[in-house]
C-alpha cells in the first residue's frame, strides 16, 4: 500500500507511544537489516513492558520505491502511521556481492524531505554514503566507509568531517562503519528510543561483547529529536551544528522563533531538559569526543566554550562522573592495553622472519 511522500499536506500523526523506525530497502541492501532490527525492537518492547517503563515503543517498518512511480511507500503499516514520516529512517549497507550504484533521485529526495520534516537519519556503511549523496551530511562529523565503495562519490570532495569513531551520533544524523557497524547502530537506536537501561539489558540478554570505546559512544548523551515540535527541532539542529558553544537563551529563542517563556515550556516538554541544561550536556559530549581524540584539557575547555577551567571541570565531573584529566588518562590507558598484544605479535613475527 503506497504512502505519500513527506511533502503531502495534512499529515496524520500516529500515537506518541509508538515510534516508527523505517528501514530503507534499495537494490542490493542488506536483506536481514529489517528482520534483525525488528527482532531487537520486539525484545526491548517486552523488556520495557515487563518493567512498566513509560515512553515510546519501537515498530520497524520497511520502505521501498513504488513500482507505480508514486515515490516511496511503506511495505506495510500505513494503517498505523498514515501519512506521517518515520521518526527514524535507517539506511543499511549493501550485500557484499552488490556494488552501490547511483540511487534513484526520488529516494534521495525523500531522505532530504524526511530529514527536513524531523526524521532522524541513520546510515550504516554504504547507507552512510547514500546519505552523503542525498546531501544531508554537509559540515557534520560522520563515520563512513571509503568513498571507493561508492563510485558515484569517488570523485567528490567530501563536505563532511570524517571521524575515526565506529559510531557517530550527531543528534539528527547517525552513522556507523567498520566491523559490527549494524550491531552498533541498532544498539544506539535502542538507547535513543528506550533509554540506556533497556539497551544494556538487551546487550546482556544477547551476550554481546562491546569494545569499551564503542560502549562509551553507545552511552553518550542522546537527545530526543522525535517529539514533533518543529520549532524546538529547529533550535536543536542549530545547537548541534555549533555544539552549543557560546549561546545564550536569547540566541536559542531567535533560532526557534519562540519567546523565552514559550521556548522554556516547549523545550522541556519536547526534550525532557531545559535549554541551558541541554546546552551543557551537548558541550560536555563534544568535550568527551575531543578528549578521546587526544586534546589537552585546557584546549578542550576553551573549544567547547568554557574559559574558566574550574567551571568546566566541575560540570564535567557532575555529568560524566570523573574529572576531564582522569577521563583522558582512562582513554589512553585503554589504548595502551590494546596496543600491547599487537606490538608483541609484530615483534614475534619480526623474530621469526629474522630466523
Amino acid at each position: 500500500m503506497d504512502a505519500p511522500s513527506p511533502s503531502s499536506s495534512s499529515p496524520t500523526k500516529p500515537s506518541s507511544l509508538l515510534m516508527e523506525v523505517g528501514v530503507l530497502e534499495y537494490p542490493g541492501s542488506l536483506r536481514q537489516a529489517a528482520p534483525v532490527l525488528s527482532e531487537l525492537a520486539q525484545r526491548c518492547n517486552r523488556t520495557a513492558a515487563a518493567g512498566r517503563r513509560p515512553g515510546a515503543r519501537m515498530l520497524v517498518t520497511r520502505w521501498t520505491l513504488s513500482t507505480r512511480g508514486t515515490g516511496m511507500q511503506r511495505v506495510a503499516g500505513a494503517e498505523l502511521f498514515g501519512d506521517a514520516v518515520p521518526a527514524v529512517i535507517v539506511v543499511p549497507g549493501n550485500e557484499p556481492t552488490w556494488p552501490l550504484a547511483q540511487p534513484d533521485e526520488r529516494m534521495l529526495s525523500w531522505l532530504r524531505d524526511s530529514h527536513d520534516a524531523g526524521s532522524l537519519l541513520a546510515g550504516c556503511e554504504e547507507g552512510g554514503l547514500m546519505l552523503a549523496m542525498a546531501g544531508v551530511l554537509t559540515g557534520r562529523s560522520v563515520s563512513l566507509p571509503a568513498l571507493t565503495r561508492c563510485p558515484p562519490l569517488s570523485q567528490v570532495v567530501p563536505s563532511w568531517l570524517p571521524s575515526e569513531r565506529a559510531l557517530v551520533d550527531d543528534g539528527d544524523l547517525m552513522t556507523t562503519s567498520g566491523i559490527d557497524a549494524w550491531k552498533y547502530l541498532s544498539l544506539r537506536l535502542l538507547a535513543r528510543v528506550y533509554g540506556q537501561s533497556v539497551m544494556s539489558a538487551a546487550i546482556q540478554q544477547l551476550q554481546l561483547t562491546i569494545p569499551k570505546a564503542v560502549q562509551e559512544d553507545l552511552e553518550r548523551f542522546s537527545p530526543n529529536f522525535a517529539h514533533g515540535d518543529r520549532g524546538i527541532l529547529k533550535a536543536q539542529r542549530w545547537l548541534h551544528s555549533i555544539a552549543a558553544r557560546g549561546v545564550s537563551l536569547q540566541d536559542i529563542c531567535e533560532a526557534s522563533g519562540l519567546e523565552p517563556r514559550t521556548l522554556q515550556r516547549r523545550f522541556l516538554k519536547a526534550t525532557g531538559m531545559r535549554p541551558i541544561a541541554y546546552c551543557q550536556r551537548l558541550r560536555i559530549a563534544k568535550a568527551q569526543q575531543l578528549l578521546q581524540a587526544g586534546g589537552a584539557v585546557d584546549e578542550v575547555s576553551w573549544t567547547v566554550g568554557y574559559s574558566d577551567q574550574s567551571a568546566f571541570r566541575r560540570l564535567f565531573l557532575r555529568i560524566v562522573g570523573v574529572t576531564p584529566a582522569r577521563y583522558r588518562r582512562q582513554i589512553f590507558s585503554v589504548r595502551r592495553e590494546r596496543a600491547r598484544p599487537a606490538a608483541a605479535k609484530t615483534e614475534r613475527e619480526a623474530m621469526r622472519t629474522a630466523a
Side-chain angles (χ1 to χ4, degrees), residues 103-298:
D104 191 293
E105 177 55 34
R106 290 172 295 175
M107 188 177 294
L108 299 180
S109 178
W110 178 71
L111 288 172
R112 289 190 295 268
D113 291 344
S114 297
H115 186 238
D116 289 341
S119 296
L120 184 160
L121 301 186
C124 178
E125 287 283 275
E126 290 89 353
L129 297 176
M130 283 189 62
L131 296 183
M133 281 188 277
V136 299
L137 300 184
T138 301
R140 308 299 285 271
S141 178
V142 296
S143 177
L144 298 179
L147 297 186
T148 53
R149 291 165 65 172
C150 178
L153 279 175
S154 58
Q155 303 301 319
V156 173
V157 177
S159 61
W160 50 87
L161 307 175
S163 171
E164 295 181 356
R165 313 294 295 179
L167 165 66
V168 176
D169 185 343
D170 201 29
D172 57 328
L173 290 168
M174 192 185 307
T175 49
T176 57
S177 63
I179 299 174
D180 292 328
W182 182 252
K183 176 171 70 176
Y184 300 152
L185 182 140
S186 299
L187 290 173
R188 181 58 175 172
L189 285 176
L190 298 183
R192 291 286 298 265
V193 176
Y194 300 97
Q196 301 292 345
S197 59
V198 174
M199 179 203 68
S200 297
I203 291 175
Q204 293 177 355
Q205 292 169 10
L206 297 170
Q207 299 182 342
L208 301 178
T209 300
I210 308 296
K212 183 173 178 59
V214 175
Q215 186 71 38
E216 292 169 351
D217 289 330
L218 290 174
E219 295 176 350
R220 199 177 303 283
F221 172 50
S222 54
N224 178 24
F225 275 79
H227 44 69
D229 189 321
R230 298 290 293 275
I232 301 304
L233 179 64
K234 184 178 179 181
Q236 284 180 273
R237 286 184 171 170
W238 175 70
L239 288 170
H240 280 260
S241 70
I242 60 170
R245 189 181 190 277
V247 301
S248 64
L249 183 62
Q250 185 57 40
D251 294 330
I252 305 174
C253 289
E254 293 175 2
S256 64
L258 300 173
E259 295 295 325
R261 291 184 63 182
T262 303
L263 173 76
Q264 294 268 23
R265 174 176 53 80
R266 285 170 53 177
F267 203 102
L268 179 61
K269 180 180 179 181
T271 69
M273 304 178 71
R274 298 190 182 280
I276 298 305
Y278 186 97
C279 290
Q280 291 175 337
R281 292 295 300 270
L282 192 53
R283 293 182 197 124
I284 295 303
K286 179 66 174 179
Q288 288 178 274
Q289 291 180 346
L290 294 173
L291 291 169
Q292 290 170 2
V297 174
D298 56 345

Side-chain angles (χ1 to χ4, degrees), residues 14-28:
S15 169
S16 60
L17 295 179
L18 197 59
M19 182 178 294
E20 180 184 10
V21 177
V23 176
L24 176 59
E25 296 184 343
Y26 57 90

Side-chain angles (χ1 to χ4, degrees), residues 291-355:
L291 291 169
Q292 290 170 2
V297 174
D298 56 345
E299 294 175 349
V300 170
S301 174
W302 183 87
T303 300
V304 299
Y306 291 95
S307 57
D308 184 346
Q309 284 194 44
S310 61
F312 170 68
R313 182 182 182 277
R314 289 193 300 271
L315 182 63
F316 195 100
L317 176 61
R318 176 166 63 82
I319 292 176
V320 181
V322 296
T323 64
R326 184 172 181 182
Y327 181 83
R328 189 176 186 273
R329 288 196 298 270
Q330 290 175 346
I331 294 294
F332 283 92
S333 175
V334 170
R335 289 178 181 172
R336 285 195 298 271
E337 291 298 322
R338 289 179 188 158
R340 286 175 184 171
K345 181 180 179 181
T346 301
E347 184 177 351
R348 288 194 299 270
E349 291 175 350
M351 293 177 64
R352 283 198 297 267
T353 301

Side-chain angles (χ1 to χ4, degrees), residues 50-103:
R52 296 184 178 180
R53 300 175 186 273
R57 301 292 186 261
M58 182 191 296
L59 179 65
V60 177
T61 60
R62 296 160 51 213
W63 284 77
T64 62
L65 196 61
S66 172
T67 57
R68 292 184 286 178
T70 55
M72 299 301 297
Q73 66 175 22
R74 287 186 185 88
V75 174
E79 69 280 2
L80 290 173
F81 297 102
D83 297 344
V85 299
V88 181
I89 296 175
V90 181
V91 188
N94 257 31
E95 289 287 349
T97 56
W98 281 69
L100 181 60
Q102 176 69 43

